[in-house]
Amino acid sequence: MAVVISGKELAKNLKEDMAKRVLEYREIYSRIPQLVVILVGEDPGSVSYVKGKEVASNEIGIKNTTFRLNDKVSESTLLDLIDNLNNDDTVDGILVQLPLPKHINEDKVINAISLEKDVDGFHPMNVAKLQLKQDCIIP
């Protein structure tokens, strides 16, 4: 007997569950969780992916803030933005869309994201915990 799995049905159920969790979060913390996405440049694939994050955030009821930066932005400006977001208690998750322009060191940027706010799980400590099959600290 074959088992048929509906991806659309599974996604719908997951989104409904996440929306309930967002409401619970709001009741506990008296605020809506916030995802911040940083997009550097206009890579078509990256733009599409970021747009998808905006749509998904709206569907489950979380705040989505996207910083769209020029591809000429300096590495230090990007790192300063990440530092400010790391220290902002209203920001629960940070996602820096890769790839970054060649003049920006991706490892440096990934390492700058707070372990607790690393949505992609690319921070070296989250990667290590995943490798060791430990719980990652991902919002």
Side-chain angles (χ1 to χ4, degrees), residues 2-134:
V3 176
V4 178
I5 299 173
S6 169
K8 287 183 181 183
E9 185 68 25
L10 180 60
K12 178 181 169 262
N13 291 339
L14 287 171
K15 286 178 184 175
E16 288 173 358
D17 182 56
M18 285 185 271
K20 288 177 191 171
R21 290 176 185 227
V22 169
L23 289 175
E24 291 170 3
Y25 182 98
R26 187 175 182 177
E27 288 177 20
I28 294 168
Y29 298 103
S30 300
R31 69 179 184 83
I32 298 170
Q34 178 178 197
L35 168 66
V36 173
V37 178
I38 302 172
L39 174 63
V40 181
E42 294 293 324
D43 175 77
S46 294
V47 169
S48 176
Y49 184 81
V50 167
K51 180 64 178 164
K53 292 294 171 215
E54 292 171 355
V55 170
S57 295
N58 289 333
E59 288 176 349
I60 64 169
I62 67 172
K63 182 176 180 181
N64 179 290
T65 303
T66 301
F67 287 88
R68 288 173 163 66
L69 306 177
N70 184 292
D71 63 354
K72 304 290 186 222
V73 68
S74 70
E75 181 177 275
S76 63
T77 299
L78 178 56
L79 292 172
D80 286 345
L81 173 59
I82 292 169
D83 185 55
N84 289 334
L85 296 170
N86 282 336
N87 293 302
D88 184 340
D89 291 337
T90 68
V91 174
D92 301 286
I94 302 169
L95 186 155
V96 177
Q97 181 60 43
L98 302 178
L100 293 170
K102 295 196 184 305
H103 68 280
I104 297 176
N105 182 318
E106 288 185 0
D107 289 336
K108 203 174 197 180
V109 169
I110 290 167
N111 291 339
I113 300 169
S114 166
L115 174 68
E116 297 81 13
K117 295 185 180 187
D118 173 27
V119 172
D120 280 325
F122 292 160
H123 187 285
M125 291 300 294
N126 282 332
V127 171
K129 287 181 177 213
L130 182 62
Q131 184 69 27
L132 295 171
K133 297 185 171 114
Q134 294 179 357

